[in-house]
């Protein structure tokens, strides 16, 4: 309980000094009237605010609780903790640097892979070396391909969330969904609740266009969510089937696939941004609140059907595809339908 009082006090200080913090960091998202349609430049502070809170949590846990994030400190070696920190801090710094200097996609991919390799070499629990699927009776062992598969999974997660981040509140709400699901699956681990509370604070500022999450925020949260999902699958077994992770992340992943294939088909650069994301299509016709509500609903559909109604993989996937395609058709501009 004491930790949450400190949390409120810390974030009250941050909010009261938001402009000073923005001037110190000096990283802004400037409207260009093409892809970025907000009215004035907005400080990209979401990632930094979350990182400050995360540092506070780590110091508090080490001093008072003998824990590190969701881990009992006595169960892990120092190099395991260093491996986790490499991924978290490395991703955050890379994201902040990208917000400031706009790295090319290739450079971001290379640096991302380097951080993943270093972290997994230090902490073996971060390796995705085996997994189970609901419709297959045997475990799948990746053997020497585990590192390639781990890198692939985290890269897809990162790129899909980068593509998915496009309107105020959208990414914060999606990460709240991820951590809330982990909170329920882990028998109410307070670490996930802590993340949810911080995200609600950032969300309230983001919806008022006082801050943006930015790549610093996306990269940091993807690192943290990746570690959490892998841990809950590999170590605790709270996530039994990899299908659960697939359905939890299905909306941004499928939207990434649709956009990539569409851009390639039209002879465009797959990494070049546009306003054909599902959130843009919906927000062109509906308000921000309705758009975020629809996005949250279609994000919840597959994981709810699979995990709580226990429908099969096939029925769950087909249901999601049907709902997604209907929404794309409804909200696609008239000139693109014909």
């Amino acid at each position: 309980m004491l930790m949450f009082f400190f949390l409120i006090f810390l974030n009250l200080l941050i909010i009261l000094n938001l402009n000073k913090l923005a001037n110190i960091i000096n990283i802004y998202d400037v409207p260009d009237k093409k892809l970025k349609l907000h009215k004035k430049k907005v400080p990209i502070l979401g990632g930094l605010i979350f990182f400050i809170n995360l540092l506070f949590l780590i110091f508090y846990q080490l001093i008072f609780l003998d824990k590190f994030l969701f881990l009992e400190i006595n169960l892990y070696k120092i190099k395991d903790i260093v491996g986790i920190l490499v991924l978290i801090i490395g991703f955050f710094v890379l994201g902040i640097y990208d917000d400031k200097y706009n790295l090319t996609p290739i450079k971001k991919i290379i640096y991302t892979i380097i951080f993943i390799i270093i972290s997994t070499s230090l902490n073996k629990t971060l390796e995705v070396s085996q997994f189970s699927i609901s419709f297959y009776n045997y475990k799948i062992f990746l053997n020497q391909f585990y590192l390639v598969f781990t890198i692939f999974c985290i890269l897809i997660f990162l790129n899909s969330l980068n593509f998915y981040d496009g309107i105020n509140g959208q990414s914060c709400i999606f990460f709240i969904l991820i951590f809330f699901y982990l909170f329920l699956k882990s028998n109410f681990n307070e670490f996930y609740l802590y993340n949810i509370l911080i995200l609600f604070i950032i969300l309230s500022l983001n919806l008022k266009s006082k801050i943006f999450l930015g790549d610093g925020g996306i990269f940091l949260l993807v690192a943290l969510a990746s570690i959490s999902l892998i841990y809950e699958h590999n170590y605790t077994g709270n996530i039994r089937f990899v299908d659960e992770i697939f359905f939890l992340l299905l909306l941004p992943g499928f939207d990434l696939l649709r956009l990539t294939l569409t851009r390639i088909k039209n002879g465009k650069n797959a990494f070049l941004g546009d306003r054909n994301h599902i959130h843009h299509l919906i927000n062109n016709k509906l308000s921000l609140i309705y758009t975020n509500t629809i996005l949250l609903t279609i994000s919840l559909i597959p994981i709810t059907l699979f995990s709580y109604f226990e429908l099969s993989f096939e029925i769950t996937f087909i249901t999601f595809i049907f709902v997604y395609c209907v929404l794309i058709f409804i909200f696609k501009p008239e000139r693109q339908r014909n």
Side-chain angles (χ1 to χ4, degrees):
M1 184 61 68
L2 181 62
M3 180 179 68
F4 292 102
F5 283 118
F6 278 129
L7 164 69
I8 294 170
F9 178 72
L10 173 63
N11 285 279
L12 183 61
L13 283 178
I14 291 173
I15 292 170
L16 291 174
N17 293 278
L18 204 60
N19 291 331
K20 291 182 181 178
L21 194 59
N23 290 331
I24 292 171
I25 299 302
N26 193 30
I27 303 177
Y28 294 89
D29 193 296
V30 181
D32 58 11
K33 306 303 178 184
K34 295 178 182 178
L35 298 178
K36 303 175 181 181
L37 303 181
H38 42 283
K39 296 179 180 179
K40 61 180 181 179
K41 67 177 185 179
V42 178
I44 304 176
L45 291 176
L48 181 63
I49 292 173
F50 196 97
F51 187 70
I52 292 171
N53 278 276
L54 188 63
L55 288 180
F56 161 77
L57 172 63
I58 290 172
F59 285 123
Y60 181 89
Q61 286 183 321
L62 291 175
I63 294 171
F64 295 105
L65 303 178
D66 200 29
K67 292 181 68 176
F68 174 73
L69 303 182
F70 40 71
L71 310 172
E72 296 293 337
I73 199 75
N74 59 329
L75 298 179
Y76 280 79
K77 300 175 183 177
I78 294 297
K79 72 173 188 175
D80 294 329
I81 294 173
V82 172
I84 291 174
L85 288 175
V86 165
L87 196 65
I88 291 173
I89 297 174
F91 269 39
F92 171 65
V93 172
L94 179 60
I96 286 288
Y97 191 87
D98 185 42
D99 285 329
K100 183 73 174 178
Y101 298 106
N102 196 23
L103 289 169
T104 64
I106 296 299
K107 286 185 178 180
K108 282 190 284 188
I109 290 173
I110 291 172
Y111 291 134
T112 300
I113 291 173
I114 290 172
F115 287 127
I116 296 171
I117 291 174
I118 294 172
S119 63
T120 51
S121 65
L122 291 169
N123 189 331
K124 298 300 180 183
T125 62
L126 298 179
E127 298 173 352
V128 185
S129 58
Q130 61 183 43
F131 57 86
S132 299
I133 304 175
S134 62
F135 52 84
Y136 187 67
N137 293 329
Y138 303 97
K139 273 194 173 183
I140 297 174
F141 294 90
L142 298 170
N143 299 321
Q144 67 268 28
F145 299 106
Y146 74 88
L147 183 58
V148 174
F149 186 75
T150 303
I151 291 171
F152 172 78
C153 289
I154 297 177
L155 276 180
I156 291 296
F157 185 16
L158 179 61
N159 280 284
S160 64
L161 264 296
N162 251 340
F163 272 57
Y164 188 70
D165 184 42
I167 60 173
N168 286 1
Q170 177 185 4
S171 292
C172 287
I173 292 171
F174 189 77
F175 279 110
I176 287 171
L177 169 62
I178 292 174
F179 287 117
F180 183 69
Y181 184 76
L182 289 168
F183 176 69
L184 295 178
K185 295 292 288 187
S186 64
N187 297 318
F188 314 119
N189 190 310
E190 64 181 16
F191 168 71
Y192 300 127
L193 181 60
Y194 184 92
N195 290 338
I196 292 168
L197 293 175
I198 300 304
L199 282 167
F200 268 115
I201 293 170
I202 295 172
L203 174 63
S204 66
L205 296 170
N206 182 224
L207 289 174
K208 297 174 184 177
S209 291
K210 291 189 174 182
I211 64 170
F212 284 167
L213 199 56
D215 280 355
I218 296 295
F219 276 60
L220 171 61
L221 287 163
V222 164
L224 207 55
S226 297
I227 292 167
S228 301
L229 290 166
I230 293 171
Y231 173 79
E232 296 295 350
H233 178 268
N234 282 358
Y235 187 77
T236 67
N238 288 326
I239 296 178
R240 183 182 174 190
F241 297 116
V242 76
D243 312 38
E244 294 178 61
I245 301 174
F246 174 79
F247 285 128
L248 187 62
L249 309 179
L250 185 54
L251 176 58
F254 196 77
D255 205 48
L256 168 67
L257 178 63
R258 177 183 67 86
L259 287 167
T260 301
L261 294 177
T262 301
R263 290 170 185 174
I264 292 173
K265 177 185 175 183
N266 295 331
K268 296 180 180 179
N269 187 337
F271 295 106
L272 193 62
D274 57 37
R275 294 188 61 82
N276 290 317
H277 302 248
I278 188 170
H279 47 270
H280 290 137
L281 298 180
I282 299 173
N283 195 218
N284 286 339
K285 296 185 177 181
L286 299 179
S287 69
L288 187 64
I289 293 176
Y290 283 120
T291 301
N292 277 316
T293 302
I294 291 172
L295 292 172
L296 176 60
T297 301
I298 57 177
S299 296
L300 282 168
I301 286 172
I303 192 62
T304 303
L305 292 179
F306 183 78
S307 293
Y308 296 102
F309 287 93
E310 298 184 349
L311 296 184
S312 68
F313 179 95
E314 295 83 357
I315 293 175
T316 301
F317 187 67
I318 291 170
T319 302
F320 169 82
I321 297 299
F322 174 77
V323 173
Y324 179 90
C325 291
V326 168
L327 286 171
I328 293 296
F329 177 79
I330 291 173
F331 290 103
K332 185 177 288 188
E334 291 292 336
R335 66 180 183 277
Q336 293 184 23
R337 288 192 205 173
N338 300 327

